[in-house]
């Protein structure tokens, strides 16, 4: 594949940044949930 | 709830998450290896399968932010859940605009020979990005939840007006960036069937990913609001007890 570094780099940037963001907000939610009651989670 | 599960997850989000993950793998395989190379751009066209869906999701995210903000401001339903959906959606939109700018810049380096030009489309997209960074900053200002919801809703309704400007910038001004080709039947550019399918797959995958992210993020914001609210209740109670002692 020609220009593989640019092409694969764009996929790495895309899915890497999404994965980092998802990990950040899931971890944050998990730590926040320790200080909340069950009534604060009506979706469960 | 198990130790490894997330407090913002439900059965529905887990099903959606696994389906999105499967589609993402499919997209990567098709985008990088299966779809055909372009007759003009060669293999660089493969960047399109993440670049176009990224800006699509950003548009959807900012439009959703505006719609739920309008619902909140209309007064029919003043639930703070609308405000949290707006905040979650805008945050995700900012991420996808950033991805679109970076992948577009890499693509531009290969096709135009430069990472960046002060072209109408690129400049207006950068302006859109900065506007929603500002929106998130405004959400972080002090005040009550209602004050946050009201001021950010007004800002969201103004900021969304930039989207048509970004989208039609290539038509309004002379631009290095190409006009839309798939949605525009007036051009002589035709996409190969597999290329069109891969692009469509990218848009579906990214849209599902967006829905999954918004569901989780707005629940995370609800938990954060609950913690902040409890903290405020505790502070008020402490002040009350201090006043009684005096």
């Amino acid at each position: 594949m020609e220009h593989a570094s640019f092409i694969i780099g764009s996929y790495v940037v895309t899915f890497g940044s999404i994965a980092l963001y998802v990990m950040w907000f899931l971890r944050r939610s998990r730590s926040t949930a320790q200080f909340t009651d069950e009534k604060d989670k009506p979706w469960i | 709830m198990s130790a490894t599960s997330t407090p913002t997850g439900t059965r529905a989000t887990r099903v959606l998450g696994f389906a999105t993950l499967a589609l993402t793998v499919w997209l990567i395989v098709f985008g990088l290896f299966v779809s055909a190379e372009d007759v003009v751009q060669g293999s660089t066209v493969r960047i399109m399968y993440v670049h176009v869906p990224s800006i699509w999701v950003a548009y959807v995210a900012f439009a959703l932010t505006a719609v739920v903000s309008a619902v909140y401001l209309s007064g029919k339903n003043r639930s703070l859940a609308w405000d949290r959906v707006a905040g979650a959606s805008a945050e995700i939109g900012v991420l996808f605009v950033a991805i679109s700018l970076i992948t577009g810049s890499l693509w531009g380096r290969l096709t135009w020979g430069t990472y960046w030009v002060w072209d109408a489309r690129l400049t207006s997209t950068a302006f859109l990005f900065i506007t929603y960074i500002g929106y998130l900053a405004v959400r972080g200002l002090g005040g009550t939840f209602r004050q946050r919801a009201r001021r950010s809703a007004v800002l969201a309704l103004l900021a969304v007006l930039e989207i048509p400007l970004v989208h039609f910038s290539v038509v309004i001004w002379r631009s290095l960036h190409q006009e839309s080709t798939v949605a525009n039947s007036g051009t002589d550019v035709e996409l190969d069937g597999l290329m069109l399918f891969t692009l469509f797959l990218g848009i579906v995958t990214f849209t599902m990913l967006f829905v999954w992210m918004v569901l989780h993020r707005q629940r995370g914001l609800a938990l954060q609001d609950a913690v902040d609210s409890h903290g405020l209740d505790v502070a008020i109670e402490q002040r009350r007890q201090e006043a009684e002692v005096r």
Side-chain angles (χ1 to χ4, degrees), chain B residues 213-232:
Chain B
M213 290 167 85
V214 167
L215 286 171
H216 275 283
R217 187 65 185 125
Q218 60 93 13
R219 287 169 185 165
L221 291 176
L223 292 176
Q224 186 62 54
D225 280 358
V227 169
D228 292 347
S229 182
H230 293 329
L232 191 63

Side-chain angles (χ1 to χ4, degrees), chain A residues 1-3 6-7 10-11 13-15 17-18 21-22 24-26 28-30 32-33 36 40-41 43, chain B residues 4 7 10 24 31-32 43-44 46-47 91 99 103 106 109-110 115 212-213 216-217 219-220 227 230:
Chain A
M1 190 195 304
E2 209 181 349
H3 308 299
F6 278 78
I7 296 163
S10 65
Y11 280 66
V13 165
T14 301
F15 295 107
S17 55
I18 291 169
Y21 173 67
V22 166
W24 171 77
F25 75 64
L26 289 182
R28 194 180 162 98
S29 298
R30 202 167 290 156
T32 309
T36 57
D40 296 322
K41 303 167 199 157
W43 53 86
Chain B
T4 53
T10 59
T24 302
L32 286 180
S43 59
T44 60
R46 298 185 190 283
I47 297 176
E91 199 174 278
I99 290 171
T103 55
L106 292 170
R109 178 71 182 81
L110 297 175
Y115 288 105
W212 182 86
M213 290 167 85
H216 275 283
R217 187 65 185 125
R219 287 169 185 165
V227 169
H230 293 329

